[in-house]
Amino acid sequence: MASVKVKFRPSTIEGKEGTIYYQIIQNRVIRQLKTDYRIFTDEWNEAGSCIFVGRSERSNLLLSLQERMEWDLKRLDMIIHQLDNRKSTYTANDIIVAFQNRVDEQSFFNFMQGIIKQLELLNKIRTSETYTAALNSFMKFRYGQDILLCEIDSDMMMLYEAWLKSKEICPNTVSFYMRILRAVYNRAVEKELIEQKYPFRHVYTGIDKTVKRAVPLKVIKYIKELDLTLKPHLDYARDMFLFSFYTRGMSFVDMAYLRKSDLKNGILTYRRKKTSRQLTVKWEKCMGEIVNKYESYSDMQYLLPIITRCTDERIQYRNAISRVNIALKEIARLVGLAHPLSMYCARHAWASIAKSKNIPLAVISEGMGHDSEETTRIYLASLDTNVVDKANGLILKDL
């Protein structure tokens, strides 16, 4: 196995900084790997082969150089370990070449950022955004300090999970981040950058049963009848919520990209962003009332006033969904709802109300554009406890 030593070469000119380099030895052949780290002779600890930081004016610089050296040595150890695992002969020069050419691949942050860029190039914008959110969370946990791919282990992931829980992040979000990081880690394994150590085996990567977000039809009526004349931001949010409900729980992203050309001969045709499945909806009077209310935006190609400029469309959509969901929480308080209201509740509500009217599951699934009835079941609210209590009473009555 190759070995690495840190060396210091003093300058031949008195009072000038010397340079730090790495001595790499493999099969008794010695090669030097140069660095751009420069220090004075009295800042070098020969016995410990490290920088003497001290309390000089240069202490911050020296501490930074020491951290960079430690990072370099970790990377070199990782490269040597990988070359040893391949069980083929290699030279000291091979180690140097790998070190110089594979900086991004060995850093977890950089490796994941590379995957995010690939997703963006493939136009998988939503997926790239979720990967970015997971990376940002992990970077906060690490206080911005990068980590090598080979340093991702079960202890690290358990610490990250504990950190997320301390921030009161819900279990499903914790699991969501873990699954994304696991996918990135497995990609590195596939590329043979690291060996599989199963670092996620002790953290939660399942999906908890969530609290149902459906609201009954009477609440939808309360929301519809609210007088929001003096609160235009709430009025707008209410209109977007109702439009989603009217159109069988259309998702906000699909609403945002509806074009006027999608409405022809009383039929609204659109393709779901999530699944690319094409759906058609019969145009109803209540839908037209909302669209007509915002005729001032008729110069735009879009049907609804969500995207109002031709630039930064994705940013406009994200800002709009954020504003609408905040406003819907205020609407929830106005109608006395015990739980928060969001655009997603409209989708859940349509499915649950359809179920309560004994509409077949297959029809509900088709109406929502699901690929399977199993997906639809997730949306359906549990039976009213009063119904269950009455059923139990009938059973006990016969005792």
Side-chain angles (χ1 to χ4, degrees), residues 33-145:
L33 176 58
K34 296 179 181 178
T35 76
D36 58 356
Y37 311 152
R38 297 184 175 276
I39 60 173
F40 294 108
T41 303
D42 61 354
E43 295 171 336
W44 178 250
N45 181 346
E46 185 65 33
S49 295
C50 61
I51 296 174
F52 175 71
V53 177
R55 295 186 178 180
S56 67
E57 295 179 355
R58 286 164 51 93
S59 59
N60 288 336
L61 170 65
L62 296 174
L63 185 60
S64 174
L65 290 178
Q66 183 64 36
E67 289 176 351
R68 289 170 65 185
M69 282 171 51
E70 291 172 359
W71 177 255
D72 288 346
L73 292 173
K74 286 179 182 178
R75 287 183 54 220
L76 285 166
D77 284 343
M78 176 180 169
I79 291 168
I80 292 169
H81 184 67
Q82 288 175 342
L83 292 172
D84 283 334
N85 285 342
R86 290 175 185 174
K87 300 181 189 240
S88 57
T89 58
Y90 64 93
T91 66
N93 284 333
D94 292 330
I95 298 171
I96 293 173
V97 170
F99 180 87
Q100 294 172 335
N101 293 342
R102 295 168 61 182
V103 176
D104 290 347
E105 289 190 334
Q106 291 161 1
S107 150
F108 184 82
F109 291 179
N110 288 335
F111 182 75
M112 190 164 178
Q113 285 165 348
I115 291 176
I116 291 169
K117 288 177 182 176
Q118 289 176 1
L119 291 169
E120 291 171 348
L121 290 173
L122 293 170
N123 204 31
K124 295 183 178 180
I125 306 301
R126 179 56 183 158
T127 306
S128 71
E129 289 173 352
T130 59
Y131 272 54
T132 299
L135 176 59
N136 288 341
S137 170
F138 190 66
M139 289 175 74
K140 286 180 182 177
F141 160 69
R142 294 279 305 165
Y143 295 99
Q145 185 177 358

Side-chain angles (χ1 to χ4, degrees), residues 182 185-186 189-190 194-201:
R182 183 177 62 186
Y185 179 87
N186 289 339
V189 173
E190 288 174 6
I194 50 174
E195 61 179 301
Q196 180 63 267
K197 295 180 180 177
Y198 303 101
F200 298 88
R201 62 179 176 267

Side-chain angles (χ1 to χ4, degrees), residues 170-192:
C170 72
N172 278 344
T173 301
V174 173
S175 174
F176 184 62
Y177 287 159
M178 289 296 181
R179 294 198 307 274
I180 290 175
L181 295 181
R182 183 177 62 186
V184 172
Y185 179 87
N186 289 339
R187 182 80 65 87
V189 173
E190 288 174 6
K191 296 185 73 171
E192 297 185 350

Side-chain angles (χ1 to χ4, degrees), residues 217-270:
L217 190 58
K218 64 179 181 180
V219 173
I220 302 290
K221 289 180 179 179
Y222 291 156
I223 293 171
K224 183 181 178 182
E225 293 167 0
L226 278 176
D227 182 4
L228 300 174
T229 308
L230 300 178
K231 298 180 178 180
H233 70 293
L234 298 187
D235 190 31
Y236 171 79
R238 187 252 309 272
D239 286 341
M240 296 302 103
F241 179 86
L242 290 176
F243 188 89
S244 173
F245 180 77
Y246 294 158
T247 53
R248 308 192 309 241
M250 186 185 296
S251 67
F252 193 78
V253 67
D254 292 330
M255 288 170 51
Y257 287 93
L258 284 178
R259 298 175 185 272
K260 292 175 181 177
S261 58
D262 294 333
L263 178 59
K264 294 179 181 177
N265 302 320
I267 299 295
L268 180 64
T269 305
Y270 71 100

